[in-house]
Amino acid sequence: MFANLTSDLAHSLNWFRLLIALLLLFAATQARSDPKSPLQIILNEESLPGIAWATFDGSDTASGGQGYAQLDSARPIRATTRVQVGSVTKTLIALGVLNLVSQEKLHLDSSVELLLPELNWQNRWGDSAPVTVQHLLEHTAGIDNIRMWQFLNSAARADDPLIRAFPQANNDLLRIRTRPGRLYSYSNMGYALLGLLIERITSERYESYLERELLKPLGMHESSFAFITQDRDSRLAMGYIDNGVQQKSVPIMLRPAGQFTTTAQDMLHLLRFLLSDGSVDGKQIVAYSFMQRLAEPSTTDAFLAGLSRGHGLALAARDRHGVLGECHPGTTFGFRAYLCVFRAQGKAFFYAVNADSETADYERFTEYFIDRLNVASAVQQPAVPIRGLHSYTGLYKLAPANMAEFAWLDWMFNSVRLSVDHQRNGLLMNSLQSSRVLLLPLGDGLFRNAERTTASHVFLGPEGNVLSTGLTTWTKESPFKLVLGWLSLTTGLLGLLYVFFRGLWLVACGRIFGNTAILLPWLSLMSFALPVFLFSLQPFLKFGELTAASVLLAVLSGALPVSLMYALYYTWRSNKYALTDLCSLVAGTQLCVVLVVQGVLPIVFWC
């Protein structure tokens, strides 16, 4: 009888649990479809699938999800849904390194070059300014960001040794571009080196060490540094790119820089820790002195000149939507994430959207959570009218460019021009890539973006020929050089277009083989269709690999200037040419020569 009663009770409890589950599912579905939900409105207007989020405000904590973890199955996204966070991973890597420093197993001023001597370091300041642990944490080591073959490479495996990303045969990979400590330049390679450093100090994989010494004490039991795919873990949300195209997880070569899977509920524990004194249950995980410097730059020229903005030991100081925060964004295949803490107010938020869209405005989510937490606005620094604004005007180029292999493109398209706005007594910053910005003077070389609350830009050097935001640096450049660059690019492209269409015309007339001056460069241009076709057949992750498409692209891009120079030589020697043919060949040849000198040609992405 007792057994029957127990069975009936268990049966009733199962029905009760089922009823509760159905009610919760119905409530979640209703909330998700509620057109009045601010998050759902943003998701709909920005064409995004879903968002998982967490907020921390003292004892008032909350987490949740809105929208879908997977569109085709209409699976809702929740606070317990696993998401990927991209570069927010760097915050945890930094805390892991600071844990080792707090235990005095490592020091902020330890030379990474000495700790990892097997790497091919190329530091011309090595004797006086070696790359240190602090430089890597603060992105001031002068190391390039990432190379294409490290980013788009299907050969990357989750269990690959980290050192595979730093082959000794590559003499340019770890070439230090600026004196360590002086300038900020975001570097994924730098954080991969920190992962390698953790392994060197602990004699175990960085994933294992951090999960035991960081994630477990923090209570982040649903988080992992391991590579996790949607095929193997149904709790992981599906990633998406534009137009709702699915994008599954992809293993990355520089995984300490961006491989971390977590939940919004787990991130509540991280938010709490970031606002703490660095201890958990009486155990000091990270020294309190380091916790105070998580977003405080300390060595850069911009900081020493009075600009408080920049990157500290783990986070960056941000001035957005009228508030000051310590934040870190993240992007990976199919996901965008953002973490921000407001230390003085004891507030913080995190969100992850399971879509990496080029058109969506993710800042709307940031603004929403700032309003939800009722973060106090910062006091806006008043502008101070000054004379001599004309001395700051001119053209400024990125120095250094974020990615060395695209330095020429950055010079051409990401340079900025400063001019005086007499009406508002400020400087206007103009660029091709972003909207116009008004800079208001604050004195001592400091300026404030009119949409910010505190100093956002500073001019460095006795002549003020260097401009910095703390996170981006430009140096004054002769406008004449850029004009020549654009003249070279424009005339060169016109010349190549002429050769292309002139060749098509000659083919249509059946006279292409009678015009040697056009034949060879025309065939060279037409041959680019083959690598383009081959690239279209292969997965995009192979773009940075040594494949038939990439080899052909390198060979043909290297052969193009040769074919143009030969055609030009032949035309000149034959003394039988049309003036337009000669001019087009000269224009195309000069552009190719410029691109060769700038390291753009031949196009090689696998090394």
Side-chain angles (χ1 to χ4, degrees), residues 90-110:
K90 293 182 176 69
T91 304
L92 290 131
I93 297 294
L95 292 176
V97 172
L98 293 175
N99 169 258
L100 290 171
V101 177
S102 300
Q103 298 178 59
E104 297 187 352
K105 295 180 180 179
L106 193 62
H107 300 281
L108 288 180
D109 59 358
S110 295

Side-chain angles (χ1 to χ4, degrees), residues 408 488-489 492 496 557-566 568 585-602:
W408 182 80
S488 171
L489 179 62
L496 294 175
S557 61
L560 179 60
V562 176
S563 66
L564 284 166
M565 286 188 287
Y566 177 80
L568 187 60
L585 291 173
V586 170
T589 301
Q590 64 79 26
L591 175 60
C592 287
V593 170
V594 169
L595 296 181
V596 169
V597 171
Q598 295 294 330
V600 178
L601 295 180

Side-chain angles (χ1 to χ4, degrees), residues 38 127 147-148 232 238 322 387 414 449 561 569:
D127 292 339
R147 295 296 174 89
M148 195 63 71
R232 295 186 178 182
M238 178 60 68
R387 295 181 179 181
N414 285 328
N449 182 331
Y569 171 78

Side-chain angles (χ1 to χ4, degrees), residues 408 411-412 479-495 587 590-591 594:
W408 182 80
W411 175 59
M412 292 291 292
F480 181 68
K481 290 183 179 179
L482 188 63
V483 169
L484 285 181
W486 273 100
L487 183 63
S488 171
L489 179 62
T490 304
T491 57
L493 290 177
L494 288 174
Q590 64 79 26
L591 175 60
V594 169

Side-chain angles (χ1 to χ4, degrees), residues 250-273:
V250 174
I252 56 178
M253 190 168 287
L254 301 176
R255 60 184 185 274
Q259 182 173 286
F260 186 67
T261 303
T262 187
T263 68
Q265 279 191 351
D266 262 17
M267 291 300 283
L268 273 175
H269 298 292
L270 178 61
L271 296 180
R272 180 182 290 108
F273 180 75

